[in-house]
Amino acid sequence: KDVKDYLHLLDKPLDEFEAPGARNSTLGEDALWHVLYSLGQDNTYLNKRKAYWGLVLAVRDRMLEKWTAVQRKYYANDDKRLYYLSLEFLPGKFLRGNLLALGLENEAHEFLHEHDLSLDEIVDEECEPGLGNGGLGRLASCYMDSMATLGLPAYGYGIRYSYGLFRQEIRNGHQVEQPDNWLHEGSHWLIPRPHNLFPIRFYGTVNEWLDDDGMLRHDWRGGDLVMAMANDMYVPGYRNGHVNSIRLWEARPHKEFVLSSFNAGDYIGSVQEKISDENISMVLYPSDDAPEGKTLRLKQQYFFVAATMRDMVRRFKKLNKPWDQLPEKNVVQLNETHPAIAIPELMRMLLDEELLGWEEAWCICQKLFAYTNHTILPEALETWPVKLIERLLPRHMQIIYEINRRFLEEVRLHFRDEPELPSRVSLISAGPEQRVRMSHLAIVGSFSVNGVSSLHTQILKDRVFHDFIRIFPDRFNNKTNGITPRRWLRQCNVPLSWLLSEHLGCNWITDLTQLKKLRELVDDVEFRHDWEQCRLTNKKRLADYIEKVNGITVNPHSIFDVQVKRFHEYKRQLLNILHIISLYNNIRRNPDVKMQPCTFIFGGKAAPSYQMAKDIIYLINCVARRVNSDPHTRNFLKVIFLANYNVSLAQLLVPATDVSEQISTAGYEASGTGNMKFALNGALTIGTRDGANIEIGERVGDGNIYLFGLCEKEVLALRRRGYDPWEFYKNDSELREVLDMINSDQFTPGDSTAFSSIFNSLLTGGDPFMVLADYRAYVETHKRISHEYVDRDLWIKKSIMNTAGMGYFSSDRAVKEYIDGIWSLEPDV
Ligand code: 475
């Protein structure tokens, strides 16, 4: 059937939010107009590129109209505003989502059809902005989508990186990084605002002076100035006429040239300074869960935070209200500690520029900021050398010292019999090199600290921030993550969306809890048949992609078992590949084995400096090469590594997955959000009792998820007892065989040491993530899966029950919890 014929069945009717004919030109007419007048190209015939850019501009016009109306309303209503500060946003491609939100899909289809083009080929023209590493950045984008859909006065703030996360290529099995020049053709989704410009200072000195009341005042001057220029990205709500924006700061030189060196004849020198200023927003740091200690990274953080605080204060000043109203009219959510320098920056503005007293300024800050923690990995907890901050941001270091002095004074007062406590909670760590603990700064300077799943919040309270829970008992709370059903079901899985809307109506798109009604349909044979057909359609589409990109034919009836996420030892891609090797050994031993064919799919990037993660990618590719070319196993087993995993690829994979691998060492994955995307689309999860997996299990039901392995308490207990991976090596012959193969030249003929780092880490290195301890349980669980998959009725029922139970994990629910529990905002719907 033609898409045009069923789109109206899928979504809320348009006239509920917008009278038709509000414009007197069609989308297609406007697109053609733009091809000629904005792009300066002949519009009498169209190719893909022209059609794409014309559409982008026509869609943008419509968003801008709505955006300005919404901004006007915010001012008129004197609304409280939310500032969501994040060093990363990962929105994915825009065109399809924006058409969908604005109700323009049908018009777009008609226009393209008239020109012998299709939306599918047009969206290929778009290049995805990779302005984030993974979970944290994608979460920010899901939340922006929900905030717009809930009609919230919210602003995202971040950096307009010239280069996003590197593009990953696989050469001879190894990851190779290529620059991601995502703006090389420009992006019309991003509107530069050259007049929204703020100077940002670095280095310099602090002068002291006495004000009229004899109060000591400070004044930070000198140093280098860099300009922050705004670029806005627009986020339309789903069919509600609401459009919000994400403001991304771009670094520009303060002066075009340094005139003195220019006049002195040092032309190149003067240009070089301009270049180094622009460096600040040049590139996203590619480490997920492990911050980079580089000066440039701290510069990025302060640069975007300072510009954002200026912007907030500029808007607030227009209201002519006293300063103590700042937190009544605004709230700032800090996405991790990356923007935590906002706390001393606002203190500096209030003290040094607005001349408030310390108590008054501090009281404002503490009511304004809220902090979300996303990771408990010790190496990911951000700290900066005092020496570095002192040099780069001398006034901020003074303010941090003063915050700390007053805080520790209070702590000493209230916990007289715990002389150790102050040094444990201090914002500054002792040791040969003093460092500022950004998480402590964020906790002390915020009124709310939240984790991102029940287990994660519990771990924060029990272990990581245990001392603080006694000092600030009411400050800690949980907000389990969510994902947007617009992108992660309606957009990425059209066949299933159609089936859902046909049976449930289309309200599930904004009220995902409606999916629970699917439980009444599991016994309907015809419905189950349709469900299976949807899944098969999606699997065939993925198989076509794999054929085209990897040149490998996969059987769409095989089990599609997928693990896609950043490469990290705690996520245990290793556990997955060890199991695959043992499966391979078993098939070779029993050529007549009756088993359901399996396709194991991997995707994900390793931080360029993370050698172990890169070794694991290499191992997977070497195993894949061996397995895929072995005639004995070819029909049963395929291993695929998909290069350059990103949001677009996720949208292709998620609806085609049967088994979702969520196998982190218990206690390490703060939440996970990929786990939610797969289960929402009807995949069954094989997972540890970690992060949000536990809550997914509670909602889809024990019988519909495969949880295995040590739980968090058992991991701790085993480590305390003394964990010896050699035990498992000695006692499990299958496992031993696999490990010995890795430690030989089996997968790298002629080179028997290619994977000795992996082998050593698992054995002599003590196996810090307990891969071997969970190995047996993992293998047995996979046997059960492969057995149950064959019972199609059973499997499809479980698949339906997964989708049915996932309503809770909508980012709409999560954002509503932030609104009620933290932000105290009025949604405008
Ligand atoms: C968690 N990134 C997921 C997701 O809450 C969770 C840290 C330091 C420097 C740069 N990037 C980071 C993260 O900490 C991160 O992405 N954390 C992830 O946040 C959303 O679902 O479990 O690992």
Side-chain angles (χ1 to χ4, degrees):
K1 229 173 155 180
D2 192 343
V3 267
K4 294 204 299 296
D5 301 332
Y6 66 74
L7 276 176
H8 66 282
L9 298 172
L10 265 166
D11 296 290
K12 192 155 91 179
L14 280 177
D15 48 358
E16 277 182 28
F17 77 95
E18 188 170 57
R23 272 187 157 261
N24 47 22
S25 50
T26 66
L27 186 73
E29 284 162 0
D30 289 357
L32 287 176
W33 187 92
H34 275 298
V35 171
L36 180 58
Y37 294 102
S38 303
L39 306 176
Q41 302 202 356
D42 186 350
N43 68 358
T44 53
Y45 81 99
L46 289 187
N47 55 23
K48 282 193 261 184
R49 246 194 60 250
K50 286 197 258 182
Y52 169 70
W53 286 112
L55 268 180
V56 170
L57 289 164
V59 170
R60 195 178 87 171
D61 290 347
R62 285 154 174 79
M63 285 203 291
L64 285 171
E65 288 167 357
K66 294 190 165 61
W67 180 78
T68 49
V70 164
Q71 295 305 309
R72 230 180 292 126
K73 203 165 65 185
Y74 291 163
Y75 277 108
N77 296 355
D78 197 10
D79 283 326
K80 181 173 180 179
R81 295 163 204 259
L82 166 76
Y83 288 78
Y84 196 88
L85 270 57
S86 180
L87 222 45
E88 306 187 9
F89 287 92
L90 214 41
K93 292 183 180 182
F94 294 105
L95 182 56
R96 201 185 281 276
N98 289 349
L99 287 171
L100 170 65
L102 298 165
L104 298 168
E105 245 185 333
N106 237 341
E107 271 192 82
H109 280 302
E110 273 163 26
F111 162 65
L112 292 169
H113 190 73
E114 283 165 25
H115 294 269
D116 288 326
L117 294 164
S118 75
L119 192 54
D120 286 335
E121 46 184 3
I122 289 303
V123 295
D124 278 348
E125 289 293 303
E126 185 163 351
C127 127
E128 159 174 342
L131 309 184
N133 272 288
L136 170 147
R138 183 53 232 175
L139 187 77
S141 286
C142 279
Y143 284 0
M144 290 309 301
D145 178 276
S146 285
M147 290 180 216
T149 296
L150 293 168
L152 226 59
Y155 299 82
Y157 275 91
I159 293 181
R160 194 225 62 154
Y161 300 105
S162 302
Y163 291 85
L165 185 62
F166 64 87
R167 197 161 45 76
Q168 178 195 55
E169 284 178 9
I170 301 295
R171 289 197 205 141
N172 296 324
H174 292 284
Q175 165 174 302
V176 176
E177 298 98 23
Q178 296 292 342
D180 164 47
N181 186 3
W182 72 290
L183 286 171
H184 72 288
E185 284 191 32
S187 169
H188 292 298
W189 295 120
L190 205 60
I191 302 198
R193 300 194 166 268
H195 297 288
N196 282 323
L197 209 57
F198 294 116
I200 309 296
R201 190 184 307 278
F202 293 101
Y203 307 104
T205 53
V206 180
N207 286 4
E208 294 181 347
W209 55 285
L210 288 178
D211 68 13
D212 293 346
D213 305 324
M215 190 130 76
L216 184 64
R217 292 290 177 183
H218 299 81
D219 176 21
W220 177 30
R221 42 171 117 142
D224 300 344
L225 291 178
V226 176
M227 301 308 288
M229 187 185 105
N231 290 265
D232 288 352
M233 219 155 75
Y234 298 88
V235 186
Y238 176 76
R239 302 196 164 207
N240 63 352
H242 199 98
V243 176
N244 281 338
S245 50
I246 303 179
R247 181 154 282 186
L248 300 177
W249 300 104
E250 174 188 352
R252 318 275 352 235
H254 178 240
K255 297 196 190 72
E256 271 306 300
F257 293 102
V258 179
L259 277 176
S260 53
S261 18
F262 185 61
N263 292 336
D266 183 10
Y267 179 77
I268 296 299
S270 68
V271 178
Q272 242 151 24
E273 189 139 334
K274 172 174 141 86
I275 293 172
S276 81
D277 289 347
E278 286 173 354
N279 271 345
I280 292 180
S281 59
M282 190 65 77
V283 61
L284 165 76
Y285 275 93
S287 300
D288 189 66
D289 285 341
E292 203 94 30
K294 301 280 191 323
T295 306
L296 183 59
R297 169 74 174 190
L298 183 59
K299 278 191 174 179
Q300 289 185 336
Q301 296 183 352
Y302 177 67
F303 166 79
F304 109 88
V305 154
T308 304
M309 291 296 103
R310 279 259 169 269
D311 218 22
M312 178 182 75
V313 165
R314 173 186 65 83
R315 279 196 199 103
F316 178 71
K317 280 188 167 175
K318 283 205 239 173
L319 306 175
N320 277 317
K321 289 193 191 308
W323 281 107
D324 62 3
Q325 297 251 320
L326 186 75
E328 280 164 46
K329 289 289 151 204
N330 301 283
V331 53
V332 178
Q333 188 71 43
L334 305 172
N335 202 20
E336 251 305 317
T337 54
H338 315 149
I341 196 76
I343 295 166
E345 170 62 5
L346 186 63
M347 282 300 283
R348 187 194 65 78
M349 291 169 72
L350 295 175
L351 293 170
D352 301 358
E353 294 177 2
E354 307 300 333
L355 304 180
L356 269 57
W358 182 280
E359 278 80 14
E360 200 187 346
W362 184 239
C363 186
I364 291 171
C365 282
Q366 274 199 320
K367 285 189 205 154
L368 183 73
F369 291 103
Y371 153 52
T372 306
N373 173 283
H374 294 267
T375 175
I376 60 160
L377 290 187
E379 68 269 28
L381 293 176
E382 219 183 351
T383 63
W384 290 103
V386 166
K387 286 264 172 306
L388 173 58
I389 301 189
E390 240 158 23
R391 209 161 44 85
L392 191 68
L393 304 167
R395 179 63 181 134
H396 299 77
M397 198 56 237
Q398 293 179 341
I399 291 171
I400 293 170
Y401 274 131
E402 183 61 12
I403 295 173
N404 199 34
R405 191 187 67 75
R406 288 170 182 250
F407 169 59
L408 294 184
E409 200 171 276
E410 287 283 300
V411 172
R412 282 192 201 97
L413 204 67
H414 286 94
F415 300 87
R416 287 174 188 283
D417 45 352
E418 291 185 65
E420 249 84 276
L421 189 59
S423 79
R424 288 208 304 268
V425 297
S426 174
L427 306 201
I428 301 180
S429 70
E433 185 195 45
Q434 288 197 324
R435 301 178 75 96
V436 177
R437 298 160 163 159
M438 300 305 272
S439 58
H440 293 199
L441 173 62
I443 294 170
V444 173
S446 301
F447 67 89
S448 161
V449 179
N450 76 282
V452 290
S453 74
S454 295
L455 176 67
H456 171 231
T457 302
Q458 203 53 51
I459 292 173
L460 291 181
K461 291 185 188 175
D462 294 349
R463 290 197 264 140
V464 191
F465 299 140
H466 183 66
D467 290 323
F468 286 98
I469 191 92
R470 292 180 304 142
I471 303 173
F472 308 119
D474 305 326
R475 202 163 284 191
F476 290 81
N477 63 89
N478 177 246
K479 298 284 169 283
T480 297
N481 283 166
I483 55 170
T484 169
R486 270 74 64 187
R487 184 170 294 262
W488 297 113
L489 185 50
R490 170 61 186 84
Q491 218 194 110
C492 74
N493 197 345
V494 173
L496 196 66
S497 295
W498 189 13
L499 187 64
L500 292 172
S501 289
E502 194 173 68
H503 287 268
L504 311 176
C506 49
N507 288 340
W508 60 268
I509 299 173
T510 47
D511 173 12
L512 204 61
T513 59
Q514 305 259 337
L515 293 180
K516 64 174 178 282
K517 292 189 285 185
L518 285 174
R519 291 184 185 132
E520 295 155 26
L521 293 164
V522 283
D523 293 320
D524 178 335
V525 182
E526 198 184 329
F527 182 74
R528 283 208 307 272
H529 171 81
D530 291 346
W531 189 275
E532 192 168 12
Q533 288 309 307
C534 289
R535 301 196 53 75
L536 192 62
T537 307
N538 297 332
K539 288 173 78 173
K540 285 183 176 151
R541 189 167 61 130
L542 177 59
D544 290 344
Y545 177 86
I546 293 172
E547 177 95 58
K548 194 175 91 203
V549 174
N550 291 42
I552 296 171
T553 309
V554 303
N555 171 2
H557 296 279
S558 64
I559 303 177
F560 281 16
D561 181 301
V562 177
Q563 185 171 21
V564 285
K565 50 183 79 248
R566 285 299 286 259
F567 271 80
H568 204 295
E569 286 159 279
Y570 84 78
K571 295 178 189 279
R572 298 199 296 191
Q573 282 93 351
L574 252 184
L575 180 58
N576 190 342
I577 197 71
L578 293 188
H579 164 248
I580 294 170
I581 298 171
S582 98
L583 210 56
Y584 173 67
N585 293 340
N586 285 338
I587 304 172
R588 282 177 38 107
R589 262 193 294 271
N590 316 297
D592 308 321
V593 71
K594 283 255 176 309
M595 91 168 234
Q596 181 63 29
C598 275
T599 304
F600 290 94
I601 300 171
F602 290 87
K605 297 176 185 179
S609 59
Y610 191 171
Q611 193 52 49
M612 182 60 75
K614 290 178 140 180
D615 291 347
I616 296 169
I617 290 181
Y618 184 51
L619 173 63
I620 292 170
N621 281 300
C622 292
V623 172
R625 187 177 47 198
R626 167 90 187 262
V627 167
N628 296 340
S629 59
D630 188 328
H632 299 103
T633 61
R634 247 196 326 234
N635 294 332
F636 295 104
L637 194 56
K638 287 273 156 65
V639 181
I640 308 290
F641 190 100
L642 292 175
N644 200 37
Y645 176 62
N646 58 12
V647 176
S648 309
L649 195 48
Q651 288 178 224
L652 177 66
L653 281 159
V654 160
T657 295
D658 296 306
V659 178
S660 150
E661 298 273 351
Q662 308 298 338
I663 57 178
S664 51
T665 315
Y668 282 89
E669 190 69 273
S671 159
T673 44
N675 48 3
M676 301 171 188
K677 293 162 199 166
F678 289 106
L680 177 61
N681 283 271
L684 273 61
T685 304
I686 177 168
T688 44
R689 290 170 184 81
D690 198 15
N693 294 353
I694 299 174
E695 290 159 80
I696 292 175
E698 284 164 5
R699 287 184 159 83
V700 303
D702 281 350
N704 303 308
I705 187 167
Y706 300 94
L707 294 177
F708 73 94
L710 301 172
C711 69
E712 185 247 344
K713 294 247 150 42
E714 291 165 334
V715 167
L716 288 181
L718 180 54
R719 190 158 294 143
R720 223 174 297 125
R721 249 194 348 259
Y723 166 55
D724 181 13
W726 286 105
E727 292 282 307
F728 294 92
Y729 178 85
K730 282 182 210 137
N731 296 332
D732 191 327
S733 60
E734 235 176 60
L735 172 61
R736 187 168 58 246
E737 185 188 7
V738 170
L739 290 169
D740 288 341
M741 284 169 79
I742 289 182
N743 205 28
S744 74
D745 75 344
Q746 286 270 334
F747 301 110
T748 46
D751 177 5
S752 58
T753 61
F755 305 117
S756 42
S757 62
I758 295 178
F759 182 86
N760 290 338
S761 153
L762 289 177
L763 289 153
T764 42
D767 186 14
F769 298 100
M770 301 196 167
V771 175
L772 305 197
D774 274 341
Y775 175 81
R776 189 39 54 193
Y778 181 64
V779 170
E780 295 305 321
T781 309
H782 261 295
K783 283 188 191 149
R784 243 180 76 211
I785 289 176
S786 141
H787 186 72
E788 296 190 356
Y789 184 87
V790 184
D791 184 342
R792 295 311 293 153
D793 269 348
L794 177 77
W795 188 270
I796 294 300
K797 281 183 189 172
K798 289 187 179 201
S799 168
I800 297 170
M801 290 302 280
N802 265 268
T803 304
M806 288 301 290
Y808 174 80
F809 298 96
S810 167
S811 47
D812 299 342
R813 182 272 313 157
V815 164
K816 280 186 203 145
E817 287 183 8
Y818 278 88
I819 295 175
D820 295 338
I822 304 179
W823 301 335
S824 314
L825 295 181
E826 298 288 332
D828 165 68
V829 269

